[in-house]
Amino acid sequence: MRVLLWHVHGGWTDAFVRGNHEYLLPVDEGRTGWGLGTGGRDWPSAVEVPVEELAGLAGTIDAVVLQRTDEVDRVAELTGLRPGQDVPAVFVEHNTPKGSVPDTRHPLADQTQIPIVHVTHFNALMWDSGQAPVHIVEHGVRDPGLCYTGELERFAVVVNEPVRRGRTAGTDLLPRFADVAPLDVFGMGGSGLHEATGIGPDRLEWVGDIPTARLHAELARRRAYLHPFRWTSLGLALIEAMHAGLPVLALGSTEAWRAVPQDAGCVSTNLDDLIAAARRFARSPEAAREAGLAAREAALARYSLGRFLRDWDDVLSDVRGGVVSAEVSGHT
């Protein structure tokens, strides 16, 4: 199958393009958000296609995977094909709803031609998807292998733009955990984090954005993984950390309670519970390692790359066949 999609979310795309299909990724001269191509990643099944050449390939495209509402019009402009009418299409909703939750209406809720694919059960539950057909394909990631050492009595956090996102990302909660052990924060857009949290550089280090392979290795050296988000879709970094064998400290909100079993760390809305678990892991490498092994087992069982790709094959086959169930059809 030849599938057209834009490179929007690197981590998700890294998994998606490892299926048994050919993936067309638009590329423009400036490699902008509308033409990033592979972004320099090693994706053997992905083919970079200059945007001006998409029209010539229109007749060979079997399906379109949309991730931004503007892509519906962009596909029509560049290929002459109307998604959901001239070519099978699905829309991947990566995010939790914003606005008046749980009454937030999805932008594609009033149509039936383009199914919405949610990445978590929580998101599917909270979005008002209206009459649009709905599927759920939970995340899957490449297994980095059990590489946990936990040698550093520090906690790892992965978050983009922690200052701008503030309470949504749980940035205001970081001082409580920094009192237990120093924090190493990875991601993009961390300028002003020390000032925003009031945590000094001796208790918090902004590491920044680093390549995935190095990120896995660095996370594995920290004692535990901290997931302080109040409102977010399930982060791939959390799943990758679990695969690597890190124990988890997570707020019990959105999908985290489903992703992280209790023996894999601590998932709670009670901060005192989380702080107590943080102290236990800081003081006991053995307890941290045991919880990390449980985290890895859970991640392998639910978020394997193979399961993710099989589920996507089911969705694409369903849509291409023109038979789309109007019921939520989750895959586990």
Side-chain angles (χ1 to χ4, degrees):
M1 186 182 305
R2 178 172 274 184
V3 182
L4 172 65
L5 75 153
W6 271 268
H7 178 177
V8 178
H9 296 280
W12 181 88
T13 307
D14 182 81
F16 184 76
V17 301
R18 296 183 185 279
N20 296 316
H21 308 290
E22 182 181 22
Y23 305 91
L24 304 183
L25 301 181
V27 62
D28 58 27
E29 185 175 350
R31 291 192 177 268
T32 68
W34 287 103
L36 182 58
T38 63
R41 297 185 183 230
D42 182 20
W43 292 335
S45 296
V47 178
E48 291 189 339
V49 179
V51 291
E52 62 271 15
E53 296 181 13
L54 285 172
L57 296 175
T60 71
I61 297 172
D62 297 304
V64 179
V65 173
L66 309 164
Q67 301 170 75
R68 298 167 292 187
T69 53
D70 290 347
E71 291 177 12
V72 176
D73 292 335
R74 186 61 62 96
V75 170
E77 293 169 3
L78 294 175
T79 69
L81 301 173
R82 295 166 297 175
Q85 299 179 57
D86 304 318
V87 62
V90 298
F91 184 91
V92 182
E93 180 51 70
H94 290 284
N95 301 313
T96 47
K98 298 179 176 63
S100 181
V101 180
D103 298 318
T104 309
R105 187 86 167 168
H106 196 277
L108 297 184
D110 297 322
Q111 55 80 51
T112 60
Q113 297 169 317
I114 302 175
I116 301 171
V117 182
H118 291 289
V119 298
T120 73
H121 289 271
F122 180 87
N123 291 2
L125 185 67
M126 289 299 169
W127 274 107
D128 176 2
S129 296
Q131 62 181 338
V134 171
H135 294 265
I136 302 168
V137 178
E138 296 185 275
H139 285 305
V141 301
R142 284 192 297 162
D143 180 15
L146 178 60
C147 49
Y148 177 74
T149 65
E151 65 201 74
L152 301 180
E153 192 177 310
R154 304 173 70 90
F155 300 142
V157 185
V158 179
V159 56
N160 291 328
E161 300 185 272
V163 176
R164 182 186 67 81
R165 296 171 71 190
R167 285 178 55 84
T168 297
T171 304
D172 60 301
L173 304 177
L174 296 182
R176 291 285 305 273
F177 293 93
D179 286 341
V180 178
L183 308 179
D184 293 322
V185 185
F186 302 80
M188 297 182 291
S191 177
L193 184 58
H194 290 292
E195 293 80 3
T197 60
I199 308 173
D202 60 322
R203 304 298 293 179
L204 184 151
E205 179 179 353
W206 173 256
V207 183
D209 189 30
I210 60 178
T212 301
R214 184 183 159 202
L215 174 63
H216 293 160
E218 291 298 329
L219 292 180
R221 298 179 63 211
R222 275 67 187 176
R223 187 63 53 82
Y225 184 84
L226 174 60
H227 186 73
F229 294 82
R230 283 187 175 88
W231 190 254
T232 184
S233 192
L234 192 63
L236 289 175
L238 168 62
I239 299 172
E240 291 167 346
M242 292 173 66
H243 271 85
L246 277 81
V248 175
L249 303 164
L251 287 191
S253 59
T254 63
E255 191 81 354
W257 71 269
R258 175 177 167 83
V260 185
Q262 286 293 343
D263 58 352
C266 181
V267 181
S268 180
T269 55
N270 185 329
L271 279 178
D272 290 338
D273 291 344
L274 289 166
I275 295 301
R279 290 197 180 99
R280 184 171 69 255
F281 292 148
R283 295 169 181 169
S284 174
E286 294 78 13
R289 181 175 295 277
E290 182 178 353
L293 290 173
R296 175 170 168 77
E297 182 179 355
L300 290 172
R302 175 163 288 151
Y303 301 110
S304 72
L305 181 62
R307 192 274 311 152
F308 172 80
L309 294 174
R310 288 192 299 272
D311 286 355
W312 264 108
D313 281 348
D314 289 345
V315 170
L316 293 174
S317 177
D318 193 23
V319 174
R320 282 197 70 205
V323 180
V324 180
S325 172
E327 299 177 352
V328 174
S329 52
H331 300 277
T332 58

